[in-house]
Amino acid sequence: MTPFALNSPGGFARTSGVADLVVYLHGFRSSSRSVKAQKMIDCFDQAGLSSNLWVPDLPASPARAMAMIEQHLDARLQSQPELSLTFIGSSLGGYYATVLGELYAQASIVLLNPAIKPYDDLQDQIGKKKVYFSD
């Protein structure tokens, strides 16, 4: 399902329905209050589709983040087995979206500058760190 199509070098036009559930997954040390997440929320609000969007605040732990996402999705799919899914992932969220796309074969995936090897690239980030957009 393609909800938007490029209609000029600078703009997109809505072409068809959007997935029942679009999950925006932010990057490492980011949150639902990031610029990209807020633009996503605003876009869905303006289109009257805010109920189709889920922008969770992901824990820093990849295991906890994936468990939280899977728990939410499995509960939704149990009550709505035909639920169409789209994952939009930025940075580490792009890595998560890739993994989730393999777990949920019916899903579409959009990647924004995805992390390719976070298990190597984020080694220096282990430990207590400040999360952007919060204290």
Side-chain angles (χ1 to χ4, degrees):
M1 210 180 273
T2 307
F4 298 96
L6 183 63
N7 65 359
S8 73
F12 289 83
R14 193 162 174 202
T15 59
S16 65
V18 68
D20 297 324
L21 181 61
V22 177
V23 182
Y24 176 79
L25 303 167
H26 62 72
F28 185 66
R29 292 174 53 200
S30 191
S31 77
S32 63
R33 294 186 302 190
S34 72
V35 172
K36 282 184 245 175
Q38 287 301 302
K39 285 185 184 271
M40 188 72 57
I41 290 166
D42 290 345
C43 179
F44 273 71
D45 284 347
Q46 289 175 16
L49 297 168
S50 57
S51 64
N52 293 64
L53 181 65
W54 180 43
V55 184
D57 282 314
L58 302 173
S61 161
R64 288 196 329 227
M66 289 298 290
M68 182 187 88
I69 297 163
E70 288 180 57
Q71 182 180 26
H72 179 88
L73 293 176
D74 290 347
R76 292 280 302 261
L77 286 165
Q78 206 165 42
S79 64
Q80 296 174 276
E82 300 300 316
L83 185 77
S84 60
L85 292 169
T86 296
F87 298 110
I88 301 174
S90 174
S91 191
L92 182 58
Y95 182 81
Y96 293 155
T98 302
V99 172
L100 291 162
E102 292 180 7
L103 293 174
Y104 300 92
Q106 77 273 32
S108 298
I109 303 167
V110 178
L111 304 176
L112 308 171
N113 192 30
I116 305 300
K117 298 185 303 180
Y119 39 84
D120 290 336
D121 297 338
L122 296 174
Q123 286 297 315
D124 64 339
Q125 296 298 313
I126 294 173
K128 194 170 187 171
K129 304 284 182 180
K130 181 178 171 134
V131 175
Y132 299 123
F133 307 106
S134 78
D135 293 326

